[in-house]
Amino acid sequence: MWGVDSAAKVTEALLACVRQEYGFPKFWGRYVTTVPNVSDGLTKEEMAFLRRNGIQIAPIYNAFREATQYEKGRTAARNAIFHARRLGIPKNKVIFANIEDEFQVDAAWIRAWVDTFYPSGYRPGIYANPTKGAFGEAYCEAVKNDERVSQQTIIWSSYPRPGTTPATKAPTFRPNVPNCRANVWIWQYGRDADRCAIDTNVANRKVSEFLY
């Protein structure tokens, strides 16, 4: 399954650019909140536009700058769930926490993210680099402390990055994965495409039922 993600709102012009230059995306990753100078927040109108065009949505929550401490993880998860409900995203869909390479991360935050999502009916997801930065070690520590972390979490791997391609030239699905049990079902293999403001991804078809 080939897809894209963007910080910018999906307009007719952006979708036309992607279709013409790269191919037809099966899914599109979008941020659920506006973060100044970082991302445009997803709207109900944009969601309807994507779904009318047969494109599933991979919602991402990025209104945080570090992923440490249980209480902060719980707050982030509650906020992400609030935005999912506000946008009308149905239950059993995944919301990805956006953990960048340079973020501080610990096992307590990851456990809190999963614990808080569990009773909500939504699935916890995490976008991260499993082999660079602090995420991989913290994730495996969280898994060791609570097997529900590996059972529930869907991981969107951001590495390796061979570069953006059209859909027809996408690489075989070989993302980097943590050194422990993990459902790594999406791989962002290319960032900052030349011809449209997107990143490119391939996904395991298993993730499809958890995208909106």
Side-chain angles (χ1 to χ4, degrees):
M1 245 171 77
W2 185 80
V4 302
D5 64 88
S6 69
K9 178 184 176 182
V10 187
T11 59
E12 293 268 10
L14 182 55
L15 178 57
C17 178
V18 172
R19 290 176 75 165
Q20 183 177 333
E21 301 288 347
Y22 294 96
F24 192 85
K26 293 279 196 293
F27 65 93
W28 201 303
R30 284 286 290 118
Y31 298 95
V32 296
T33 59
T34 295
V35 175
N37 304 314
V38 175
S39 59
D40 296 331
L42 184 62
T43 64
K44 290 181 178 179
E45 292 75 21
E46 184 183 351
M47 288 167 62
F49 172 69
L50 284 164
R51 288 170 57 76
R52 268 200 315 276
N53 281 279
I55 301 168
Q56 288 189 288
I57 298 155
I60 309 160
Y61 179 73
N62 67 328
F64 62 99
R65 301 302 303 159
E66 62 173 54
T68 61
Q69 301 175 31
Y70 192 92
E71 197 52 48
K72 287 182 180 175
R74 190 157 63 174
T75 299
R78 284 174 176 161
N79 288 339
I81 292 161
F82 167 81
H83 287 292
R85 288 175 177 152
R86 174 182 64 81
L87 289 164
I89 296 168
K91 298 286 179 72
N92 202 40
K93 302 305 176 186
V94 61
I95 316 295
F96 292 94
N98 185 82
I99 297 179
E100 297 289 351
D101 293 2
E102 69 275 12
F103 280 18
Q104 292 182 296
V105 193
D106 65 20
W109 192 99
I110 294 168
R111 278 195 2 261
W113 180 260
V114 175
D115 287 351
T116 309
F117 263 86
Y118 191 68
S120 76
Y122 291 103
R123 281 295 290 265
I126 299 176
Y127 163 93
N129 185 332
T131 46
K132 183 182 175 190
F135 172 73
E137 193 176 321
Y139 173 80
C140 289
E141 187 184 328
V143 169
K144 194 166 68 176
N145 292 333
D146 184 356
E147 64 181 26
R148 192 161 70 186
V149 172
S150 62
Q151 291 166 353
Q152 290 290 313
T153 310
I154 297 170
I155 292 179
W156 184 340
S157 176
S158 66
Y159 217 77
R161 297 180 191 136
T164 57
T165 70
T168 54
K169 295 183 178 174
T172 304
F173 188 74
R174 287 199 188 108
N176 285 6
V177 301
N179 291 321
C180 56
R181 187 179 163 199
N183 302 311
V184 182
W185 289 350
I186 307 182
W187 173 28
Q188 184 193 69
Y189 68 86
R191 279 192 174 182
D192 304 322
D194 293 336
R195 297 187 289 275
C196 315
I198 54 152
D199 307 315
T200 55
N201 304 268
V202 283
N204 185 315
R205 291 193 178 279
K206 287 180 187 172
V207 82
S208 184
E209 70 174 288
F210 300 107
L211 303 179
Y212 180 38

